[in-house]
Amino acid sequence: MHKTSGGSRPKQKVYHRVDELDRMLDLQKKPAVILQLKTIIESQKNKSLLLRDLEKQVGFVQKWNYMAVIEKYPTIFCVSGGDGTPPAVMLTRKAKKIADEEADAIEQMEPILVQNLRKLLMLSIDCRVPLENVELIRSELGLPSDFKESFPMYPEFFCIIDVYGRAYLQLENWDSYLAVTAREERFSREGILSPARNLKKTKISKDGNFPGPSAFQLKFPVSFRPNVSYLEQVHRWQKMEFPSPYLNARKFEIADPKARKRVVAVLHELLSLTMEKRLTCAELDAFHSEYRLPARLLLCLIKHHGILYITNKGAKSTVVLKEAYDGSNLIDRCPLLAFRSKFVELTGRRDITTSPGKPLSQHSI
């Protein structure tokens, strides 16, 4: 008969939550309803929506959330009708004035979106991705609902091809100027790519950050207390050079530590191309084949929790690029997000959607 050990069970690994990023998704629920209702109203012929037709647009369950928003924010929505006229909701005069600015924001977004789509294709192994995958992350990229109609306007950049009965968006011309990651652009602005730095004698930092051209910005959770051994491993990983995510993944063996670090760079760059620097786990997984992502993607995300954060708030698990946020606030905003923030500010709320942030120029994308 075997004697049982009197020792305690091994400690279960804990995934440290980041309350600010969990809160970020919660705070966006109501602004999302406001913006969707604005879109529905503006799509009507008379720019007004009969309340009895609201259920047809959003469904029976969601209808009550929209009714609550209409009642709560009279600075944005006003209801007309009575004396035999069916009640209808429309935008207030002030809301209409700001809504008119959306066209300018969309115009500013076009060169940014074209550039980001080209980079999205350049990241893939064959410079093409299924059109349905682009459709899947359309709103995260900031593309309009009719984005497919825009491709003929840019024949020098894009074409749609058929691959075994499946439509693919393909890159027409490679541009080495675009094969620079958002991480490299930031380092260049901060002078970190300068070869004059003597990095061999750099001390191991307590937060895992390292001032080298192969390093990633780390933001560990407040509750995470790394020991010396862990920080030493991180320091070695930060110093390790790796191939550009814009090089073809077929050239590298996934077992190679440098290739595994390159995968993190691919995920970092893909999230950087989205407006809010986040995608759901399902959306990331949809690009598994095109970007040669690891079979155990979840473990990769968990391992690099200083760079990427998985939140289960909301309907789906979402992966967030941590460096893009200051607390719950997105640091840099594209013109479309800046417009949405301005519109939602009519509620008087100063939350995640309306928080101060630097607008992005075309050159900073």
Side-chain angles (χ1 to χ4, degrees), residues 339-359:
F339 159 75
R340 291 175 181 175
S341 296
K342 186 175 181 180
F343 188 85
V344 175
E345 280 178 4
L346 288 170
T347 64
R349 291 177 50 173
R350 301 293 300 180
D351 54 27
I352 176 64
T353 306
T354 63
S355 59
K358 295 183 293 181

Side-chain angles (χ1 to χ4, degrees), residues 124-126 133 166 284-293:
S124 65
I125 53 177
D126 293 314
N133 286 9
R166 195 180 186 188
L284 272 180
D285 200 50
F287 290 89
H288 198 281
S289 299
E290 284 69 38
Y291 296 149
R292 291 286 177 93
L293 299 179

Side-chain angles (χ1 to χ4, degrees), residues 130-140 145 147-148:
L131 197 55
E132 64 194 59
N133 286 9
V134 181
E135 177 72 42
L136 181 66
I137 63 170
R138 176 189 65 78
S139 59
E140 285 77 8
S145 57
F147 75 95
K148 296 176 190 176

Side-chain angles (χ1 to χ4, degrees), residues 95-106 108 335 339 342:
K96 282 179 185 176
K97 186 177 180 181
I98 294 177
D100 288 342
E101 297 176 16
E102 186 172 16
D104 184 50
I106 291 172
Q108 292 178 53
F339 159 75
K342 186 175 181 180

Side-chain angles (χ1 to χ4, degrees), residues 30-40 340 343-344 353:
K30 194 158 284 184
V33 172
I34 292 170
L35 292 166
Q36 179 61 23
L37 183 55
K38 176 195 78 70
T39 301
I40 293 172
R340 291 175 181 175
F343 188 85
V344 175
T353 306

Side-chain angles (χ1 to χ4, degrees), residues 182-208:
R183 185 186 63 85
E184 290 169 329
E185 287 181 355
R186 181 177 66 83
F187 281 177
S188 180
R189 290 193 301 270
E190 296 173 1
I192 292 175
L193 295 178
S194 172
R197 288 177 174 267
N198 184 4
L199 302 175
K200 292 184 179 180
K201 298 180 180 179
T202 305
K203 293 182 180 180
I204 296 175
S205 63
K206 293 181 180 179
D207 61 4

